[in-house]
Amino acid sequence: ESGAMSNGWASRVSLGGYGEHHFNHFKDKDDKVDAHRFVLFVGNQFSDTVRFFSELEVEHGLVKDTDDGSGPGEVELEQAYIQWDFTPGHSLTMGQFLVPVGIINETHEPDTFYGTERNNVEKDIIPATWWETGVMFSGEILPGLKYNAALHSGLAADPGATVRSGRQKSANATAEDLAYTLRLAYTGVAGLEVAATAHHQQDISQGAAADGEANLLEAHIRYTIANLTLTALAAEWDIDGAAFDTAGTDVQEGAYLEASYKVTPKLGVFVRQSEWDNKAGNSVDTEIEQTDVGVNYWLTPTVVLKADLTEQDGAKDDDAFNLGVGWSF
Amino acid sequence: ESGAMSNGWASRVSLGGYGEHHFNHFKDKDDKVDAHRFVLFVGNQFSDTVRFFSELEVEHGLVKDTDDGSGPGEVELEQAYIQWDFTPGHSLTMGQFLVPVGIINETHEPDTFYGTERNNVEKDIIPATWWETGVMFSGEILPGLKYNAALHSGLAADPGATVRSGRQKSANATAEDLAYTLRLAYTGVAGLEVAATAHHQQDISQGAAADGEANLLEAHIRYTIANLTLTALAAEWDIDGAAFDTAGTDVQEGAYLEASYKVTPKLGVFVRQSEWDNKAGNSVDTEIEQTDVGVNYWLTPTVVLKADLTEQDGAKDDDAFNLGVGWSF
Amino acid sequence: ESGAMSNGWASRVSLGGYGEHHFNHFKDKDDKVDAHRFVLFVGNQFSDTVRFFSELEVEHGLVKDTDDGSGPGEVELEQAYIQWDFTPGHSLTMGQFLVPVGIINETHEPDTFYGTERNNVEKDIIPATWWETGVMFSGEILPGLKYNAALHSGLAADPGATVRSGRQKSANATAEDLAYTLRLAYTGVAGLEVAATAHHQQDISQGAAADGEANLLEAHIRYTIANLTLTALAAEWDIDGAAFDTAGTDVQEGAYLEASYKVTPKLGVFVRQSEWDNKAGNSVDTEIEQTDVGVNYWLTPTVVLKADLTEQDGAKDDDAFNLGVGWSF
């Protein structure tokens, strides 16, 4: 039964991927078609207890050099780590991994979420997709209760900009100041997931500002009863530092509520209400509110067609109608 | 007999590729060695009727950022689509696909054509390799008679430049004006392929010019009798718009004739006569003529060595001797 | 026993890779974390005698276009060749291959060498990783005695800069002047490897300087007795040309000695003494000396953790403490 192949490379190595194409019809700007994400997963099982996993992404379909920085896309190594089960139920991850925070940062295959575009709270506040390089302990401490505890490279945030723009992406990154992340997640009740993450970096400016002690707190709950799923997520950055205070970036926070309903196993509808503010520490109204409503149709369990409406209010007004096709394998 | 592996990822996922290295000895400029194309194919079979296919390319072997845009290469996602056989004999393609026109746009593995470099008629007029994002119906209507009917993103052509430079490559592409492509192909007689494509875009300038209604017509015939293959292809763009008229880019057209002969199953010789003009609407002689003559040697059915001579006349004079090695799998 | 899969694509095609993450604590500049190298190997067996092999690399984890050339990484095709066993024991390589010189240029998976960073003698003098495009004959002439004889594209070195900056990486490379490489290697005694390479290029400036006849000689010996391995390597470029003389780049040379000891099968320690000079032809003291001492721990035979100290003297003083994790499969 084992045959030649079972002992061959394909029984150790694995290849997969995901991707999504988007069409955005905007109210106030040119419509867009975009090969938004194209990802390959490559893994290897070195032994029963040691494995490798990686995620390599091409964003926006084309990476080329120009003289003015107008090349549309990027090649990004998003994950590349060795994971070692040093004792049953507990593992040590070494290398580049996704920071354990929120929902979409670690699970972002298009068939796993509603809406053509990823939600802006996790994108602009958390800021997903967020990866760092370091070491992380993971495991289960009680039935259904899991932990992640990580020491890793940190952001290099400019006081005048968002935490999102502080992502160094482990690309020749400044590592004067490391960061710590701790997550607890409970999935001990059928249909329920509750999780909270605390993250600390002594100086999020990596020495560029006088000070910038940063703490991120995130919590979310997701509960599925029959065909209905309810999700709530909130995240808040608090940054101690005069330059951040002045810019209003000392508080960056957001939250969303989402309800989705599976009309049939293949067809689901959703509504999501989000609000977020990357300058919540200032005295101006910089908060953005967004309502999304739409439909997912799963052609197969991991191939999805999407249609949705986005309406924004507050400091931004990028209303849109979106279509998407996505896959993962 | 099935074994563990037959049920594993490698029975769903597939990996392949193609590539070609070129040496060009030019009459009037520096000789070049180039890793012209390196391509990976990744596919997945989701179910009996739903599959994924993709083509990811690295051109010119090196992609790096510079301050003056002198980085030689590109990473390009050329194909990434979901194909669904919604009824026997007919499929719906969703995502990013090659526009069904000409010969080389869809079939460009180096072992499938003669000449180190791809022919300039299909490159500069069609313009191959040309991909867009949208939906396409494909199928067989009568024995040997196949159709493709597609609605997809369109070019964004500048009146002063070629259609080729209007390719947006689905990379954050402007989609104010979509396009339509219809192809009929007949292969019902052994050794014969006849095909014609009509393509329409209401405004090929995507709103940048006052108007630019564009139609492309392409037709080709290929006939193989014993060891001899004859190929003829013609393509013409007609663009209605004052700015295109003025620039002479309102007509862009070309054609080639090719004869090839398989001396042995591994060795083939060819001669090709091409002419094309990307400013055929002006009153100056901007047509280029080109004669190619050369040899292909197939070390295996999909590994090929090539040598050929290129002689140009008319508006351009890039005579060259070319050597190539190519593969596909 | 063969099953469906043994006849499928996975019995021809192969997929592998290697990679390494580095943390560098520098004495005199900002600490760094970097996804230094991420590599995929893709191969195909066309027939018993014809095969394809390739190495595609993403350096520094992120490739993006900027207006000032500050994008950190690169996508590089490092190898992509067809290899044909034209007679038993002898093969012809056609395409893009690693130049057969030194140790690390061809074998650079992180689990195969000591030290987080590759040694500077092979990096700055040889200059590894160095690939060219052309043809190479390889084989065994006597038991344990192997040869490589190659004709390939050459460097395009600026007289004022190092040979390393002359690497064109087969990316739309000037090929006015080709180059020749010959290597003999003897591994006929258990634990011993002795090899020498001679390389010649008639004009290493590719016509940019008045003249630049270049010769590289490299030799190394590695001997393993029980748990102890001793390695010695020396390399020297001699370039004949007034512009190179003036710049002192007419001689570029270096050497290192390394001793390593396997304390256990999983744990090894090493010390390495290097010196090199890319302007050895001038009258100033431009030589750099470096001492490395450190430890490798192999979690599995091809997963390695590294820690080492680097101390430099002479024309440079980049002292560092380095940590690394690497893998290959």
Side-chain angles (χ1 to χ4, degrees):
Chain A
E1 280 255 320
S2 62
M5 277 311 302
S6 325
N7 301 320
W9 69 273
S11 63
R12 284 186 295 102
V13 180
S14 61
L15 173 66
Y18 79 86
E20 45 190 338
H21 298 289
H22 295 173
F23 168 76
N24 308 104
H25 171 69
F26 294 108
K27 193 183 64 177
D28 294 325
K29 52 184 183 182
D30 275 1
D31 297 350
K32 292 281 169 193
V33 156
D34 191 26
H36 199 137
R37 296 183 180 91
F38 177 84
V39 169
L40 295 180
F41 295 129
V42 177
N44 188 58
Q45 192 77 31
F46 289 100
S47 72
D48 286 351
T49 57
V50 179
R51 69 195 65 88
F52 166 72
F53 184 73
S54 68
E55 177 181 349
L56 183 66
E57 177 159 342
V58 178
E59 289 210 335
H60 309 297
L62 175 65
V63 188
K64 63 181 286 192
D65 182 36
T66 68
D67 59 355
D68 60 358
S70 64
E74 300 186 10
V75 171
E76 293 182 336
L77 184 67
E78 298 209 346
Q79 303 182 61
Y81 59 76
I82 296 294
Q83 190 170 63
W84 173 38
D85 300 341
F86 59 93
T87 195
H90 298 265
S91 68
L92 172 62
T93 300
M94 296 168 282
Q96 185 179 321
F97 50 82
L98 299 171
V99 180
V101 55
I103 295 171
I104 217 159
N105 197 54
E106 292 168 289
T107 308
H108 40 236
E109 290 84 346
D111 51 292
T112 64
F113 63 89
Y114 283 91
T116 302
E117 304 290 344
R118 298 179 182 172
N119 78 78
N120 283 318
V121 172
E122 297 198 66
K123 184 182 161 204
D124 283 348
I125 303 299
I126 278 187
T129 310
W130 180 19
W131 60 88
E132 298 289 353
T133 298
V135 293
M136 176 165 68
F137 289 90
S138 307
E140 196 162 20
I141 22 184
L142 293 169
L145 185 62
K146 286 179 186 152
Y147 75 95
N148 299 86
L151 165 65
H152 52 73
S153 55
L155 299 172
D158 185 80
T162 65
V163 281
R164 182 171 180 82
S165 59
R167 297 179 304 163
Q168 302 190 82
K169 300 189 175 184
S170 297
N172 215 8
T174 302
E176 285 293 297
D177 208 66
L178 302 178
Y180 309 84
T181 303
L182 178 69
R183 177 175 68 185
L184 291 175
Y186 180 69
T187 54
V189 172
L192 178 70
E193 178 188 322
V194 194
T197 292
H199 170 91
H200 174 78
Q201 186 175 348
Q202 194 54 36
D203 179 6
I204 200 174
S205 81
Q206 300 275 359
D211 41 13
E213 186 179 343
N215 288 289
L216 164 67
L217 290 174
E218 182 273 344
H220 65 264
I221 180 164
R222 173 166 279 181
Y223 190 39
T224 299
I225 333 156
N227 296 340
L228 181 70
T229 298
L230 299 172
T231 307
L233 181 146
E236 175 172 340
W237 281 92
D238 281 293
I239 306 178
D240 254 6
F244 294 90
D245 276 359
T246 307
T249 54
D250 54 322
V251 179
Q252 305 188 40
E253 60 184 6
Y256 70 81
L257 287 168
E258 181 187 292
S260 64
Y261 187 79
K262 281 268 193 121
V263 183
T264 74
K266 290 193 154 195
L267 183 72
V269 293
F270 83 106
V271 59
R272 187 193 304 129
Q273 182 63 33
S274 310
E275 50 182 53
W276 71 100
D277 191 342
N278 282 94
K279 294 196 170 181
N282 65 9
S283 50
V284 201
D285 188 6
T286 44
E287 188 180 81
I288 305 167
E289 292 102 46
Q290 181 172 324
T291 308
D292 296 278
V293 53
V295 58
N296 274 17
Y297 179 78
W298 285 269
L299 188 57
T300 78
T302 60
V303 175
V304 67
L305 307 176
K306 300 182 178 184
D308 52 85
L309 283 164
T310 292
E311 200 166 299
Q312 289 189 340
D313 259 314
K316 222 174 162 189
D317 187 23
D318 268 359
D319 294 357
F321 169 66
N322 308 300
L323 293 173
V325 54
W327 62 87
S328 77
F329 59 90
Chain B
E1 279 252 322
S2 61
M5 277 311 302
S6 324
N7 301 319
W9 69 274
S11 63
R12 286 184 296 102
V13 179
S14 61
L15 173 66
Y18 79 84
E20 46 191 338
H21 297 289
H22 294 172
F23 169 76
N24 308 104
H25 171 69
F26 294 108
K27 194 182 64 179
D28 295 326
K29 51 185 182 181
D30 274 1
D31 298 349
K32 293 280 170 193
V33 155
D34 192 24
H36 198 139
R37 294 182 182 92
F38 178 82
V39 170
L40 295 180
F41 295 130
V42 177
N44 187 57
Q45 192 78 32
F46 289 99
S47 71
D48 285 352
T49 57
V50 179
R51 70 196 64 88
F52 166 73
F53 185 73
S54 69
E55 177 181 349
L56 183 67
E57 178 159 343
V58 178
E59 289 211 334
H60 309 297
L62 175 66
V63 189
K64 63 181 286 193
D65 182 37
T66 68
D67 59 355
D68 60 356
S70 64
E74 299 185 10
V75 171
E76 294 182 336
L77 184 67
E78 298 209 347
Q79 303 183 61
Y81 60 76
I82 297 293
Q83 191 170 61
W84 173 38
D85 300 340
F86 60 94
T87 198
H90 298 266
S91 68
L92 173 61
T93 300
M94 294 168 284
Q96 185 179 322
F97 50 82
L98 299 171
V99 180
V101 54
I103 294 171
I104 217 159
N105 198 54
E106 292 170 288
T107 308
H108 40 236
E109 290 85 347
D111 50 292
T112 64
F113 64 89
Y114 282 92
T116 302
E117 304 291 344
R118 297 178 182 173
N119 78 78
N120 283 319
V121 172
E122 298 198 65
K123 183 183 162 203
D124 282 348
I125 304 298
I126 278 186
T129 308
W130 179 20
W131 58 87
E132 299 288 355
T133 297
V135 292
M136 177 166 68
F137 290 90
S138 306
E140 195 163 17
I141 22 184
L142 291 169
L145 184 63
K146 287 179 184 152
Y147 75 95
N148 299 85
L151 166 64
H152 52 73
S153 55
L155 299 172
D158 183 80
T162 65
V163 282
R164 181 172 181 81
S165 58
R167 297 179 305 163
Q168 300 190 83
K169 301 190 175 183
S170 297
N172 215 8
T174 302
E176 284 294 296
D177 208 65
L178 301 178
Y180 309 86
T181 302
L182 179 69
R183 177 175 65 186
L184 291 175
Y186 181 70
T187 54
V189 171
L192 178 70
E193 177 188 322
V194 194
T197 291
H199 169 90
H200 175 76
Q201 187 176 348
Q202 194 54 36
D203 179 6
I204 200 174
S205 82
Q206 299 275 0
D211 42 14
E213 187 180 342
N215 287 290
L216 164 67
L217 290 175
E218 182 273 344
H220 65 265
I221 181 164
R222 174 166 279 181
Y223 191 39
T224 300
I225 332 156
N227 296 340
L228 181 71
T229 298
L230 299 172
T231 306
L233 181 147
E236 176 173 341
W237 282 91
D238 280 294
I239 306 177
D240 254 7
F244 293 90
D245 277 0
T246 306
T249 54
D250 56 323
V251 180
Q252 304 188 41
E253 61 184 6
Y256 70 81
L257 288 168
E258 182 186 292
S260 63
Y261 187 79
K262 282 267 193 121
V263 182
T264 74
K266 291 193 154 196
L267 183 72
V269 294
F270 83 107
V271 59
R272 186 193 305 129
Q273 181 64 32
S274 311
E275 51 182 53
W276 72 99
D277 190 343
N278 282 93
K279 294 196 171 184
N282 65 9
S283 51
V284 200
D285 189 6
T286 44
E287 190 180 80
I288 305 166
E289 291 104 47
Q290 181 172 323
T291 307
D292 297 278
V293 54
V295 59
N296 275 16
Y297 179 77
W298 285 270
L299 188 58
T300 79
T302 60
V303 175
V304 66
L305 307 176
K306 300 181 176 185
D308 52 86
L309 284 164
T310 292
E311 199 166 301
Q312 289 190 340
D313 259 314
K316 222 173 162 190
D317 187 23
D318 267 358
D319 294 358
F321 169 66
N322 307 301
L323 293 172
V325 55
W327 62 86
S328 77
F329 59 91
Chain C
E1 280 252 321
S2 61
M5 276 313 301
S6 325
N7 300 320
W9 69 274
S11 63
R12 286 185 295 102
V13 179
S14 61
L15 173 65
Y18 79 85
E20 46 191 337
H21 298 289
H22 294 172
F23 168 76
N24 307 105
H25 170 68
F26 293 108
K27 193 182 63 179
D28 294 325
K29 53 184 181 181
D30 274 1
D31 297 349
K32 292 281 170 193
V33 154
D34 192 25
H36 199 138
R37 295 183 181 91
F38 178 82
V39 170
L40 295 180
F41 296 129
V42 178
N44 187 57
Q45 191 77 31
F46 289 99
S47 72
D48 286 352
T49 57
V50 179
R51 70 196 64 88
F52 166 73
F53 185 73
S54 68
E55 178 181 347
L56 183 67
E57 178 159 341
V58 178
E59 289 209 334
H60 309 298
L62 175 66
V63 188
K64 63 180 287 193
D65 182 35
T66 68
D67 59 355
D68 61 357
S70 63
E74 299 187 8
V75 171
E76 294 183 335
L77 184 67
E78 299 210 347
Q79 304 183 61
Y81 60 78
I82 297 292
Q83 190 170 63
W84 173 38
D85 300 340
F86 59 93
T87 196
H90 298 265
S91 68
L92 172 62
T93 300
M94 295 168 283
Q96 185 179 321
F97 50 83
L98 299 171
V99 179
V101 54
I103 295 171
I104 218 159
N105 198 53
E106 292 169 289
T107 307
H108 40 235
E109 290 86 347
D111 51 291
T112 64
F113 62 89
Y114 282 93
T116 302
E117 305 290 343
R118 298 177 182 173
N119 78 77
N120 284 316
V121 172
E122 297 198 67
K123 182 183 162 203
D124 282 348
I125 304 298
I126 279 189
T129 309
W130 179 20
W131 59 89
E132 299 287 355
T133 298
V135 292
M136 176 166 68
F137 289 90
S138 306
E140 194 162 20
I141 23 183
L142 292 170
L145 185 64
K146 289 180 183 150
Y147 74 95
N148 299 86
L151 165 66
H152 52 74
S153 56
L155 298 171
D158 184 80
T162 64
V163 282
R164 181 171 181 80
S165 58
R167 298 178 305 163
Q168 302 190 81
K169 300 190 175 183
S170 297
N172 215 8
T174 301
E176 285 294 297
D177 209 65
L178 302 179
Y180 310 85
T181 303
L182 178 68
R183 177 176 65 187
L184 291 174
Y186 181 70
T187 54
V189 172
L192 178 71
E193 177 189 322
V194 194
T197 292
H199 169 90
H200 175 77
Q201 186 175 348
Q202 195 54 36
D203 179 5
I204 200 174
S205 83
Q206 298 275 0
D211 42 14
E213 186 180 342
N215 288 289
L216 164 67
L217 290 174
E218 181 273 343
H220 65 264
I221 181 164
R222 172 166 281 182
Y223 191 40
T224 299
I225 332 156
N227 296 341
L228 181 70
T229 298
L230 300 172
T231 306
L233 180 146
E236 176 172 342
W237 281 91
D238 281 293
I239 306 177
D240 253 8
F244 293 90
D245 276 0
T246 307
T249 54
D250 55 322
V251 179
Q252 304 188 40
E253 62 182 6
Y256 70 81
L257 288 168
E258 181 186 293
S260 63
Y261 186 79
K262 282 268 194 120
V263 182
T264 75
K266 292 193 154 196
L267 184 71
V269 294
F270 83 106
V271 59
R272 188 193 304 130
Q273 180 65 33
S274 309
E275 51 183 53
W276 71 101
D277 191 342
N278 281 93
K279 294 196 171 183
N282 65 10
S283 51
V284 201
D285 189 6
T286 45
E287 189 179 81
I288 305 165
E289 292 103 45
Q290 181 172 325
T291 308
D292 296 277
V293 54
V295 59
N296 275 16
Y297 178 77
W298 285 268
L299 188 57
T300 78
T302 61
V303 175
V304 68
L305 307 175
K306 300 182 177 184
D308 51 86
L309 283 163
T310 292
E311 200 166 301
Q312 289 189 340
D313 258 314
K316 223 172 161 188
D317 187 23
D318 268 358
D319 294 358
F321 168 66
N322 308 300
L323 292 172
V325 54
W327 62 87
S328 77
F329 60 91

